[in-house]
Amino acid sequence: MAASMCDVFSFCVGVAGRARVAVEVRFVSSAKGKGLFATQPIQKGETIFIERPLVAAQFLWNALYRYRGEHISPTPEGCWAQQPLRMEETCDHCLRALEKAEENAQRLTGKPGQVLPHPELCTVRKDLHQNCPHCQVTYCSTECLLAAAEQYHRVLCPGPSQDDPLHPLNKLQEAWRSVHYPPETASIMLMARMVATVKQGQLELLRRLFTEALYEEALSQWFTPDGFRSLFALVGTNGQGIGTSSLSQWVHACDALELKPQDREQLDAFIDQLYKDIETATGEFLNCEGSGLFVLQSCCNHSCVPNAETSFPENNFLLHVTALEDIKPGEEICISYLDCCQRERSRHSRHKILRENYLFVCSCPKCLAEADEPNMTSEEEDDEEDEEGEPEDAELGDEMTDV
């Protein structure tokens, strides 16, 4: 029987009606809480639902790359330093990339004359971009500007103090960056936007969503030490990473083109070379990255053998949940909090990652089947294999190398 709760489908878009009849939220157990279950057959590759976040924010170091046009990396001394690397500007509300795919390719390759075929596949509309008249933060459209202003930006807008390091919000962000270096997994601004949403009259929406998790209905509880820790833990364990890129969206659109075999081969070779040029010029390709809280998606439990996955194919914060295999009625819909490489590691390694980042122990079918495996991480297994495979004079060789 479906659990009684607020309307978890309220943020679904496009196929919201489809989601209401295809899935339902049920109570699973005191350990797992609720889960999302199919109520009718779902085919492999089918979009189960599309959802906008309750609130989203770009990671602060990621945003700093954008505004200062620089890339940071660790110095030999272990500190983080800024190095030249022009980054893509993004919509402050929906995280949509604001730069055309061709411009993005030109900057990342360092080739001002770089031309992309099929430019019509890029959906960025620069003529629609808008700026906050007070702090000049950029939005991809009037709709996003108005949505941000209505939900949280009236409270958070720094006005002419946007670049003032003594402004309280700038001090908060700098303090966060000083203790949270890349790779980033959360942002203090996600919580700031949640509180600003409340201050702008959206209390009931957040109260319904978070009362159960925080065990307190009063907003003041968020600001006590225990309440703040609870809120932070809630964001950390339920936040969904968001990645957007106009170039990546263009590449996906190219993949969907119906072309003659020779044309397809040429286009694929062009894209392969493009990524090689980016790797040579700027190193690892960096998207705009942030995180958001999604109401229905947060009902999906983790599995190391997921039957669904999340993605952001529209170059903004709209989350798509897609079936990885056929799903039968009554079957739980599970996503994975681990990436493909992490899912291939040992059970002990997977549990270590999940405990440290999501505060739970996985009991999915794969973990239960591997319950009798030795309690060692994949790194320890690799080290053990290396030691067993070393020749008898390996130690001498190491000592000679050290000398």
Side-chain angles (χ1 to χ4, degrees), residues 395-403:
E395 185 177 353
L396 177 60
D398 289 340
E399 292 174 349
M400 292 176 66
T401 302
D402 291 339
V403 172

Side-chain angles (χ1 to χ4, degrees), residues 120-346:
E120 72 282 358
L121 298 180
C122 177
T123 60
V124 174
R125 290 281 306 278
K126 287 197 164 187
D127 57 308
L128 300 180
H129 296 175
Q130 299 287 329
N131 294 92
C132 169
H134 307 293
C135 67
Q136 300 305 310
V137 69
T138 308
Y139 298 97
C140 68
S141 63
T142 301
E143 289 76 12
C144 273
L145 182 150
L146 295 177
E150 181 180 359
Q151 185 180 352
Y152 56 81
H153 191 65
R154 290 200 303 272
V155 169
L156 297 178
C157 180
S161 300
Q162 169 76 5
D163 298 319
D164 181 1
L166 297 181
H167 187 280
L169 278 176
N170 289 336
K171 291 172 67 176
L172 173 66
Q173 294 180 64
E174 182 59 34
W176 176 267
R177 280 192 294 264
S178 70
V179 294
H180 290 83
Y181 293 104
E184 299 174 273
T185 58
S187 172
I188 191 68
M189 293 309 294
L190 199 61
M191 287 184 284
R193 289 187 177 184
M194 289 165 58
V195 174
T197 296
V198 173
K199 291 184 69 174
Q200 289 192 194
Q202 301 294 325
L203 174 60
E204 181 58 21
L205 179 63
L206 283 180
R207 188 194 67 79
R208 291 201 315 260
L209 185 63
F210 294 132
T211 293
E212 180 180 359
L214 296 174
Y215 303 104
E216 295 288 347
E217 294 188 8
L219 176 61
S220 61
Q221 294 299 316
W222 288 10
F223 297 95
T224 66
D226 288 342
F228 189 80
R229 281 195 294 269
S230 296
L231 180 59
F232 190 83
L234 178 67
V235 172
T237 56
N238 289 281
Q240 165 67 48
I242 300 173
T244 64
S245 164
S246 58
L247 182 59
S248 294
Q249 187 188 33
W250 174 82
V251 171
H252 286 304
C254 286
D255 292 340
L257 288 174
E258 294 185 3
L259 301 173
K260 296 178 181 179
Q262 183 177 358
D263 293 337
R264 167 56 62 189
E265 184 177 348
Q266 291 178 349
L267 182 57
D268 289 346
F270 174 85
I271 293 173
D272 288 343
Q273 185 59 50
L274 179 65
Y275 278 118
K276 290 178 181 178
D277 292 343
I278 291 174
E279 177 70 23
T280 300
T282 61
E284 184 179 358
F285 177 52
L286 299 175
N287 294 336
C288 163
E289 296 177 345
S291 63
L293 291 175
F294 296 83
V295 180
L296 187 57
Q297 179 270 341
S298 69
C299 297
C300 295
N301 286 314
H302 162 83
S303 174
C304 296
V305 281
N307 56 9
E309 67 176 354
T310 59
S311 63
F312 297 88
E314 299 186 42
N315 190 32
N316 61 11
F317 62 16
L318 289 181
L319 173 134
H320 290 229
V321 175
T322 307
L324 291 173
E325 58 187 50
D326 292 342
I327 303 174
K328 300 176 182 178
E331 187 176 350
E332 184 174 7
I333 297 171
C334 294
I335 59 176
S336 181
Y337 302 165
L338 306 175
D339 60 35
C340 294
C341 293
Q342 291 172 332
R343 293 201 297 270
E344 295 304 315
R345 300 178 70 178
S346 70

Side-chain angles (χ1 to χ4, degrees), residues 362-396:
C362 182
S363 59
C364 73
K366 181 175 182 179
C367 287
L368 292 177
E370 298 174 352
D372 294 332
E373 289 189 352
N375 285 333
M376 63 172 59
T377 65
S378 296
E379 292 92 339
E380 291 170 343
E381 292 168 353
D382 292 341
D383 291 342
E384 189 174 89
E385 290 175 1
D386 291 341
E387 291 174 2
E388 292 176 353
E390 288 180 346
E392 293 182 357
D393 61 346
E395 185 177 353
L396 177 60

Side-chain angles (χ1 to χ4, degrees), residues 8-9 12 17-25 36-40 42 48-49 296 331 333:
V8 295
F9 299 97
C12 289
R18 157 67 175 153
R20 290 180 186 275
V21 300
V23 300
E24 67 177 5
V25 179
L36 192 65
F37 292 79
T39 56
Q40 64 183 38
I42 299 174
I48 303 173
F49 62 88
L296 187 57
E331 187 176 350
I333 297 171

